[in-house]
């Protein structure tokens, strides 16, 4: 877990020293070489498998939307950003408690759920569902979908920044 | 949760018991499991059978029967699966799930014992 050291710490910097510029991998969002039809099939399959799923959003850990199949009025760009926020919180918890990489985070509200699953180091899968959804089934199926999405995203040539 | 562990242990002491679980059918999550085998993942069984319970509850509602499920029996080739929703106030939204071997179990006795376990279960 050496990546703990990469995180910004709340320590005062010595005067006159600027931290080195952070080097991030190019965003997956907007990459035209991604296998979008295959990704779309995975997202649809998950929605069909579990009644009550409104749709899925595949987003980057940078908060940018890759693709989605939402069927309600929710804004996919907002959800991709929210997913990255939930990932950020989960990752911090993982680091601070020494519990390893982020896997899954679920928010349950009065009328529904938002679950975020880790797909790869760079991507997240967010699933929106109604309150009556069978969450246990979602938790059984979504990690498999995430693993297949990871395979689809793996080996894609990075977009030129 | 001592009471829950005792209840699941009692469920596993029923003749021919293979696995037992207490499941929340509003989410499909298990509150506790006992038994099970390498091939049988009780959390998968719980999530799947949540849909069974929900479907039956919805059917009762659609038929306007104004009644509740006492138990559900599913007969397989080699097993009986018993589903028993908890009827007391503290157990609202939960069901007991019991898998028993058809060849080793006495179904009437298993059902009777599961009722006794359900009645004694206070969460």
């Amino acid at each position: 877990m050496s990546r703990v050291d990469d995180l910004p710490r709340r320590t005062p910097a010595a005067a006159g020293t600027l931290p080195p510029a952070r080097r991030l991998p190019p965003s997956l969002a907007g990459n035209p070489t991604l296998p979008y039809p295959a990704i779309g099939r995975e997202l649809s399959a998950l929605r069909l498998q579990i009644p009550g799923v409104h749709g899925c959003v595949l987003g980057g850990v940078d908060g940018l939307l890759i693709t989605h199949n939402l069927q309600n009025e929710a804004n996919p760009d907002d959800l991709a950003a929210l997913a990255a926020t939930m990932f950020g919180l989960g990752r911090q918890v993982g680091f601070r408690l020494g519990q390893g990489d982020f896997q899954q985070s679920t928010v349950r509200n009065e009328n529904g759920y938002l679950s975020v699953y880790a797909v790869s180091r760079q991507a997240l899968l967010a699933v929106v569902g109604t309150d009556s959804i069978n969450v246990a089934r979602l938790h059984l199926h979504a990690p498999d979908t995430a693993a297949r999405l990871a395979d689809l995203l793996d080996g894609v040539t990075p977009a030129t920044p | 949760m001592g009471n829950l562990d005792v209840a699941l242990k009692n469920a596993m002491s029923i003749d021919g018991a293979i696995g037992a679980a207490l499941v929340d059918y509003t989410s499909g999550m298990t509150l506790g499991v006992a038994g099970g085998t390498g091939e049988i993942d009780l959390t998968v069984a719980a999530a799947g059978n949540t849909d069974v319970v929900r479907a039956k509850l919805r059917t009762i509602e659609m038929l306007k029967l104004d009644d509740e499920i006492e138990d559900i029996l599913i007969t397989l080739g080699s097993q009986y699966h018993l589903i028993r929703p908890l009827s007391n106030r503290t157990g609202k939204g939960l069901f007991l799930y019991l898998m028993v071997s058809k060849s080793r179990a006495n179904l009437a006795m298993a059902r009777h014992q599961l009722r006794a376990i359900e009645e004694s279960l206070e969460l």
Side-chain angles (χ1 to χ4, degrees):
Chain A
M1 288 303 108
S2 62
R3 279 185 293 138
V4 171
D5 304 323
D6 301 339
L7 289 173
R9 309 298 299 210
R10 290 183 201 83
T11 46
T17 56
L18 280 172
R22 294 180 70 191
R23 295 188 60 81
L24 300 170
S27 180
L28 285 169
N31 185 333
T33 61
L34 292 181
Y36 287 104
I39 293 173
R41 279 194 295 278
E42 285 297 339
L43 299 187
S44 314
L46 185 62
R47 202 180 65 209
L48 289 174
Q49 246 167 2
I50 301 158
V53 168
H54 286 314
C56 315
V57 175
L58 183 65
V61 291
D62 53 8
L64 296 175
L65 176 68
I66 298 170
T67 186
H68 75 97
N69 70 349
L70 284 171
Q71 295 290 300
N72 61 0
E73 67 285 353
N75 182 317
D77 290 294
D78 287 355
L79 284 178
L82 280 172
T85 311
M86 283 164 72
F87 160 73
L89 180 61
R91 188 179 66 152
Q92 287 287 345
V93 171
F95 282 152
R96 296 301 145 95
L97 298 177
Q99 292 175 343
D101 287 336
F102 170 82
Q103 282 197 340
Q104 186 268 122
S105 172
T106 297
V107 172
R108 182 182 185 178
N109 296 310
E110 212 176 325
N111 295 318
Y113 285 91
L114 175 64
S115 276
V116 175
Y117 301 86
V119 170
S120 63
R121 291 283 295 273
Q122 268 194 280
L124 302 167
L125 171 68
V127 183
V128 188
T130 63
D131 180 48
S132 61
I133 200 171
N134 187 337
V135 203
R137 255 182 78 185
L138 181 63
H139 289 338
L140 288 173
H141 287 289
D144 294 344
T145 303
R148 286 193 295 273
L149 288 170
D151 290 341
L152 290 172
L153 296 176
D154 194 35
V156 165
T157 46
T160 42
Chain B
M1 276 295 174
N3 203 344
L4 169 58
D5 292 334
V6 170
L8 289 173
K9 207 164 151 262
N10 288 342
M12 284 307 292
S13 71
I14 294 173
D15 275 346
I18 298 163
L22 183 68
V23 188
D24 176 356
Y25 63 74
T26 61
S27 68
M29 304 275 206
T30 50
L31 280 76
V33 293
T37 63
E39 305 93 74
I40 300 166
D41 184 339
L42 280 166
T43 57
V44 175
N49 282 286
T50 286
D51 291 333
V52 173
V53 174
R54 285 183 182 189
K56 192 64 212 174
L57 286 172
R58 205 158 44 237
T59 310
I60 291 170
E61 197 184 302
M62 276 154 58
L63 292 170
K64 301 188 179 68
L65 291 178
D66 189 27
D67 208 339
E68 50 205 24
I69 302 170
E70 187 185 323
D71 62 13
I72 299 173
L73 168 67
I74 296 163
T75 312
L76 309 186
S78 63
Q79 296 175 3
Y80 291 121
H81 292 186
L82 276 167
I83 293 171
R84 191 169 188 96
L86 269 58
S87 53
N88 54 19
R89 199 180 45 79
T90 55
K92 206 167 161 21
L94 307 177
F95 68 87
L96 270 169
Y97 182 65
L98 177 69
M99 298 161 109
V100 289
S101 157
K102 217 169 161 178
S103 56
R104 287 188 290 125
N106 175 336
L107 177 60
M109 189 52 107
R111 195 164 164 254
H112 172 75
Q113 285 174 309
L114 195 62
R115 177 195 292 135
I117 290 165
E118 188 248 306
E119 280 166 359
S120 67
L121 182 57
E122 279 284 342
L123 291 165

